[in-house]
Amino acid sequence: MPRLAQPLSDSQIKRAKAQTKLVKLFDGHGLYLEIHPSGGKFWRFRYRKADGKETTIGFGPYPEVSLVEARNKRTAARRVLLEGGDPLQQREQMRRESVRATEYTFRKVATEWHQLKEKAWSPAYAHNVLHRLELDIFPDLGRLPIDEVTHRDLIDVFRKIEARGAHEIAKRNKAVCSQIFSYAIQTGVAQRNLVVDMKDVLQPVPSGNFPAISSDELPRFLQALRSNEACMQPLTRIGLRLLMLVFVRTSELIETPWTEIEEGKSEWIIPWYRMKLGKRRLNPIKKDHFVPLSRQSLQLLGDLRKLTGGGRFLFPNLRDRNRPMSNNAFLKALERMGYKGDMSGHGFRALAMSTIKEKLGYRHEVVDRQLAHVEKNKVTRAYDRAEFIDERRVMMQAWADYIDSLS
């Protein structure tokens, strides 16, 4: 019968001196202390794996790891063995998880996701998504390991956004976080998409499109516009009038270079790469947009040319003329007119669509083409190439005359 090792004592370990060869002091049940010729003392635990082979695992140096601590580590390792595990493999797994926790933070995973997705986004949209993350999400969640983020962490972030009245931004950030967690699960660094469970944590936001007045409200709007024009900057006044007459998207108007506008010519061609669907990185719609210009539109463009015709843009930024103006100028003007929350630059498109159909009697397809809407069904889009150019010319002049008649 093998002789059992006599348990070690602290005094025995302290008295032990280094020899010319490696010395081992055994404590029993596989635990022993190695004393190296250099004087270093290190705890080790010998055990037999499931395949019958012997191996050892280090528990650390003495006295940093005391005798009591080494015995506790031995007990924990023996418990792993009893459960059919391997202490060395378990330690490696814990090390990997620790590295993963510190390496795969929410910011790192979100940045990887953004870099992957931005290839299919327009530069402006990609910038906006990252800007919202940096402003609202990363300050609180960025440093946390993504697999340790809790429901409470997310709720606190979203509530902070809501507290400043940005309910729509909170909703969009919630959707973005859900996509980030989905990406994390697919790449193996998270186990669960917490956002999927969060059905009722945000305050309800009324659904709907961009604010827009109805056809019946147009006369009162025009009266308010006339009353406030004297207080507006010339570019803002002309811009609002043009938006109403041509009803292109706000960005398509304010980003227009003078090279697109031929003086005196009663049409304007917006190149496809400036259109909403042309800016897509994947499968852009490469179709220029035709805008007939009414007499009233030409008059406004003539007035505008006297102001900014020598520069790059129709509507330059007052601080940097090499950049277009901000669409906030139009929103602020509408706010001063008393239409905050009731009308927007984009709302002129909805106003034109409803009024031209209801009051002027034009077919939906004709107005829809002027709005540059594209048929979602690819097959239908391939066969439906009618542009109604002549009818659109007449319609745009009739629309401008109708506005004048209300004035």
Side-chain angles (χ1 to χ4, degrees), residues 304-321:
L304 189 60
R305 191 179 291 274
K306 297 174 185 177
L307 297 172
T308 66
R312 178 182 175 187
F313 294 107
L314 273 67
F315 297 93
N317 189 291
L318 295 179
R319 295 181 180 178
D320 182 358
R321 298 183 71 82

Side-chain angles (χ1 to χ4, degrees), residues 89-137:
Q89 290 182 357
Q90 185 188 64
R91 174 187 288 183
E92 179 61 19
Q93 178 65 25
M94 293 174 63
R95 186 193 67 80
R96 289 180 180 179
E97 291 179 357
S98 177
V99 169
R100 187 177 68 177
T102 56
E103 182 179 359
Y104 292 102
T105 62
F106 189 93
R107 176 188 285 273
K108 178 178 174 61
V109 177
T111 302
E112 283 184 4
W113 167 81
H114 184 270
Q115 290 172 346
L116 178 69
K117 299 291 287 184
E118 69 174 339
K119 298 174 183 177
W121 294 337
S122 70
Y125 181 74
H127 171 78
N128 287 339
V129 171
L130 185 59
H131 177 70
R132 287 199 297 265
L133 286 169
E134 291 176 339
L135 182 67
D136 295 320
I137 307 299

Side-chain angles (χ1 to χ4, degrees), residues 299-355:
Q299 177 63 52
L300 287 170
L301 288 170
D303 295 341
L304 189 60
R305 191 179 291 274
K306 297 174 185 177
L307 297 172
T308 66
R312 178 182 175 187
F313 294 107
L314 273 67
F315 297 93
N317 189 291
L318 295 179
R319 295 181 180 178
D320 182 358
R321 298 183 71 82
N322 289 317
R323 293 171 49 224
M325 69 186 292
S326 168
N327 65 347
N328 284 333
F330 296 150
L331 293 176
K332 288 296 183 183
L334 292 169
E335 181 179 337
R336 287 192 293 271
M337 289 169 55
Y339 282 87
K340 181 179 181 180
D342 295 323
M343 189 55 173
S344 63
H346 201 90
F348 288 112
R349 293 168 60 77
L351 173 65
M353 167 66 92
S354 59
T355 309

Side-chain angles (χ1 to χ4, degrees), residues 165-337:
H167 300 286
E168 183 61 31
I169 297 298
K171 179 181 176 182
R172 293 179 186 178
N173 273 324
K174 179 172 175 281
V176 166
C177 287
S178 180
Q179 293 182 57
I180 292 170
F181 273 104
S182 176
Y183 171 78
I185 293 171
Q186 294 174 66
T187 54
V189 296
Q191 302 298 319
R192 182 180 176 189
N193 188 339
L194 303 182
V195 184
V196 173
D197 304 330
M198 302 170 67
K199 303 293 185 182
D200 303 307
V201 299
L202 296 183
Q203 297 179 28
V205 180
S207 60
N209 299 313
F210 291 94
I213 60 173
S214 67
S215 302
D216 294 335
E217 294 173 290
L218 181 54
R220 187 169 69 87
F221 177 84
L222 291 170
Q223 183 179 358
L225 179 59
R226 286 196 307 274
S227 301
N228 285 271
E229 281 183 327
C231 303
M232 293 181 187
Q233 292 285 346
L235 297 190
T236 305
R237 173 180 58 80
I238 294 173
L240 282 175
R241 289 279 182 179
L242 275 174
L243 269 182
M244 185 159 42
L245 289 170
V246 299
F247 46 89
V248 295
R249 296 178 180 87
T250 306
S251 62
E252 293 162 2
L253 179 66
I254 62 177
E255 295 173 6
T256 302
W258 275 110
T259 53
E260 288 181 14
I261 306 297
E262 188 174 341
E263 189 170 5
K265 193 171 184 178
S266 59
E267 62 184 42
W268 167 28
I269 306 297
I270 306 178
W272 63 267
Y273 53 82
R274 286 213 309 112
M275 299 298 293
K276 177 182 178 180
L277 296 181
K279 291 180 179 179
R280 297 190 304 194
R281 293 194 177 185
L282 291 182
N283 304 317
I285 304 296
K286 298 182 178 181
K287 181 180 178 182
D288 297 341
H289 181 48
F290 174 77
V291 183
L293 297 173
S294 62
R295 294 187 307 274
Q296 293 87 337
S297 296
L298 289 172
Q299 177 63 52
L300 287 170
L301 288 170
D303 295 341
L304 189 60
R305 191 179 291 274
K306 297 174 185 177
L307 297 172
T308 66
R312 178 182 175 187
F313 294 107
L314 273 67
F315 297 93
N317 189 291
L318 295 179
R319 295 181 180 178
D320 182 358
R321 298 183 71 82
N322 289 317
R323 293 171 49 224
M325 69 186 292
S326 168
N327 65 347
N328 284 333
F330 296 150
L331 293 176
K332 288 296 183 183
L334 292 169
E335 181 179 337
R336 287 192 293 271
M337 289 169 55

